[in-house]
Amino acid sequence: MKILGTKPIFGVWVLLLALCSIFSLGQTAPNPAATPSGTQPAAQTAAPGQQPASSEGNGSADDQPLTTIKIQPNEVNVVFTVTDKHGRRITDLKQNDFNIVDDNKPPQEVRSFHAETNLPLQVGLLIDASNSVRDRFKFEQESAIEFLNQTVHPGKDQAFVVGFDVTPEVTQDFTDSTERLAHGVHDLRPGGGTAMYDALYFACRDKLLKTAKGLTVRRAIILLSDGEDNQSHVTREEAIEMAQRAEAIVYTISTNVSGTKQAGDKVLERIADATGGRAFFPFQLRDVANAFAEIQDELRSQYAISYKPANFKNDGHYRTIEIVANDRKSFKVRARRGYYAPVQ
C-alpha cells in the first residue's frame, strides 16, 4: 500500500527544524552595541583627561567607584634677602654659597635657585587708623601712596589696602591700578582702638591665602603701626602663624616718633623677624618715606629657592627653615623661620 504525501510532509519538517535553529542562534548571538551588564564596549574612546577603561578586573567600569586623587605639594619655596655686615644687600651669590636645613635635615633635592629681581608682587598695605596715630596720619598716607606708585607695576603686580582700628576695613581690594590704590589710602579715616593682630590675620587669611596657588609671586605685607594692640581677638603668635601659612614676608614701619623704642616696637620687630621681613623705626616723620623706599628696593633684590624636604609628611605640623651663608662672617640671610606642612 502506498502512503500518499510522504515527500511533502518530510520537507515541511525539515523547514520547521531549520527555522527553529535560526531562531535559537538569534537568541544567543552577541549584540555588537553592548557588552554584558550593559557596560560600554572596551574599544570605547576615553573622555579627555581620563584613562581608557581596562578590559581586565572583577567588574565593569560603571561598577567601579570614581576616585578623586589630590596631589599634596611637597615643594617648599622660600624668598630671602642677603646683606653684608654693613647692611648692604648682596645680589650676586650662587646656590652653593648657602646651606639649607629643613626641620633639622638638609633637603632631599634643591629644584631651583634664582636671584629674583623682577618677580610679580602681591602686596598688602595695612595702615593703623587708630586714634594713637592721628597726629601723623596724613604724612603716612602720602608716604604710602608714593610707595605704591613706585612699587606696583600695572599688568604685573597687585596690591590691596586695609585700614584698621577696632576692625580691619578693605578700602581697596587687589588691583594693579595705582590710582585706585591711592584712593583707597585717602579713604582711610583715623579713629577708635587698635586691633593690629586681627588686621594682619585677616589680610593673610582672607586675601593672600585666597589668591591663586601655583603662581610664582612674592607676597608681602607692609604694616604701618605703633605696634600697640588693645582690641584684637587673635594673639600675636596666631597672626604670625597665619602670615607664615600665607608665605608672606611682613615689613613693619613703626609710627612711634618718641625717639626711644617702646613695647609696641618690640612687637613689630618680632613679627618682621618671624616672617623674614624687616622692622623699620623712623623716629622722624621724614624717615617714613625712606623706609618705604628701602622696602621697595629690597622686594626687587632677593633670592628664591625651591626644594623638596627630606622625610616630608602631610601632617599639618610646623617645620623650621634655616638658610645660612657659608661665609657667615661676611653675609647675613633673612628668611622666614618655618612653614606649616599641608594636611592630607
Side-chain angles (χ1 to χ4, degrees):
M1 181 175 72
K2 287 185 179 180
I3 300 175
L4 299 176
T6 302
K7 289 183 179 179
I9 293 172
F10 178 77
V12 170
W13 278 106
V14 170
L15 180 61
L16 288 172
L17 287 171
L19 289 172
C20 289
S21 176
I22 292 170
F23 179 77
S24 176
L25 289 171
Q27 289 292 90
T28 58
N31 180 359
T35 56
S37 302
T39 59
Q40 294 299 318
Q44 182 187 10
T45 303
Q50 292 181 336
Q51 295 295 326
S54 172
S55 60
E56 299 177 359
N58 297 326
S60 67
D62 286 352
D63 292 333
Q64 302 299 320
L66 296 175
T67 303
T68 301
I69 299 174
K70 294 183 179 179
I71 301 175
Q72 296 290 349
N74 62 350
E75 187 171 301
V76 178
N77 299 290
V78 184
V79 174
F80 60 97
T81 304
V82 182
T83 56
D84 63 16
K85 55 188 176 182
H86 300 293
R88 294 184 293 247
R89 282 181 292 279
I90 306 299
T91 59
D92 59 353
L93 298 178
K94 308 300 180 185
Q95 178 183 323
N96 56 10
D97 291 321
F98 302 96
N99 182 41
I100 307 160
V101 177
D102 182 294
D103 220 26
N104 299 316
K105 297 180 181 65
Q108 179 178 324
E109 175 190 1
V110 175
R111 293 181 171 170
S112 66
F113 177 87
H114 304 286
E116 296 289 1
T117 59
N118 211 24
L119 271 181
L121 296 174
Q122 290 181 347
V123 178
L125 182 61
L126 273 61
I127 299 181
D128 189 339
S130 64
N131 275 321
S132 61
V133 298
R134 183 181 294 271
D135 57 342
R136 50 198 180 276
F137 191 70
K138 183 174 176 55
F139 182 86
E140 290 163 0
Q141 282 179 304
E142 297 304 322
S143 298
I145 290 170
E146 180 63 22
F147 164 77
L148 292 169
N149 286 336
Q150 296 295 324
T151 304
V152 177
H153 299 161
K156 179 180 179 182
D157 307 317
Q158 288 204 327
F160 63 93
V161 179
V162 172
F164 63 92
D165 44 28
V166 293
T167 57
E169 177 189 5
V170 179
T171 56
Q172 177 55 57
D173 211 336
F174 271 117
T175 183
D176 64 351
S177 167
T178 54
E179 184 178 351
R180 290 181 183 175
L181 291 167
H183 282 306
V185 174
H186 278 306
D187 285 344
L188 298 171
R189 295 290 180 269
T194 309
M196 182 182 70
Y197 305 146
D198 284 355
L200 178 58
Y201 189 95
F202 164 80
C204 294
R205 184 194 64 183
D206 291 53
K207 293 298 170 190
L208 295 180
L209 265 177
K210 290 187 177 180
T211 56
K213 292 294 184 182
L215 299 176
T216 305
V217 296
R218 189 163 306 171
R219 296 183 179 91
I221 293 285
I222 317 300
L223 175 59
L224 191 67
S225 176
D226 59 7
E228 297 178 4
D229 191 301
N230 53 27
Q231 295 285 338
S232 284
H233 296 88
V234 302
T235 66
R236 179 191 67 186
E237 295 307 308
E238 286 171 333
I240 289 173
E241 176 184 331
M242 191 54 64
Q244 291 170 333
R245 290 187 184 278
E247 298 181 3
I249 301 171
V250 182
Y251 294 93
T252 61
I253 302 177
S254 175
T255 59
N256 166 32
V257 291
S258 67
T260 59
K261 280 190 178 182
Q262 305 292 325
D265 292 327
K266 295 179 180 179
V267 170
L268 296 175
E269 210 163 27
R270 162 65 184 153
I271 292 172
D273 186 57
T275 59
R278 183 178 169 191
F280 293 86
F281 304 101
F283 290 130
Q284 297 183 30
L285 281 179
R286 64 175 179 271
D287 294 332
V288 173
N290 295 335
F292 273 118
E294 286 196 48
I295 293 171
Q296 176 201 342
D297 290 342
E298 182 164 309
L299 286 172
R300 303 294 183 187
S301 308
Q302 296 174 311
Y303 298 89
I305 191 166
S306 174
Y307 64 87
K308 181 179 180 181
N311 300 330
F312 188 80
K313 296 179 181 179
N314 295 316
D315 54 11
H317 287 173
Y318 182 78
R319 297 172 65 97
T320 58
I321 296 174
E322 185 180 13
I323 302 176
V324 295
N326 293 334
D327 186 355
R328 296 193 185 198
K329 292 184 178 179
S330 300
F331 304 117
K332 178 183 178 182
V333 176
R334 213 169 352 97
R336 57 190 171 111
R337 299 294 185 88
Y339 63 99
Y340 287 86
V343 178
Q344 192 166 16

